[in-house]
Amino acid sequence: MPTYARLPRFDQDWATLTPAERARFRSAVAKFVADLSAGRPFRKGLRVRRIEGVAEIWEMTFAPDGRATWQYGEAIRSGHAHVIWRRIGTHDIFRAP
């Protein structure tokens, strides 16, 4: 099971989401965690990919205009990925991912 942390900016972004957006993100994260835990590629519906020009930051889609950015951090538990959530919101988050 992966571990995670949130940057303060993620928490600020989270506070602006609607309850429906939060629910969609939680649903997407359940799939994200399942794929990561199983050691398989992320399912296509999550549209996980690196952000252009920034090798260490990734994005994930959780709604038609819902995106979250994240990066891998140093493992807290041996053999388990550590994810650091950076931003969440619309495409606007890509101005400062």
Side-chain angles (χ1 to χ4, degrees):
M1 179 67 80
T3 58
Y4 73 94
R6 298 181 315 264
L7 294 182
R9 184 60 199 245
F10 182 90
D11 291 335
Q12 292 169 357
D13 293 339
W14 180 264
T16 69
L17 297 180
T18 67
E21 290 168 328
R22 291 177 184 183
R24 289 186 86 158
F25 178 72
R26 287 184 183 113
S27 177
V29 167
K31 296 170 186 169
F32 176 92
V33 168
D35 293 344
L36 198 54
S37 295
R40 63 180 172 242
F42 292 106
R43 61 196 76 199
K44 292 183 185 214
L46 294 176
R47 296 179 55 205
V48 171
R49 62 179 173 242
R50 283 194 171 115
I51 293 181
E52 283 186 38
V54 189
E56 70 277 0
I57 301 176
W58 297 72
E59 69 170 286
M60 177 187 78
T61 299
F62 67 91
D65 192 25
R67 303 292 184 273
T69 61
W70 56 278
Q71 67 190 72
Y72 288 107
E74 187 174 329
I76 293 175
R77 286 187 283 157
S78 180
H80 297 272
H82 182 66
V83 173
I84 302 168
W85 294 105
R86 300 177 55 87
R87 299 289 311 269
I88 187 168
T90 66
H91 282 94
D92 292 341
I93 67 171
F94 295 125
R95 293 185 188 134

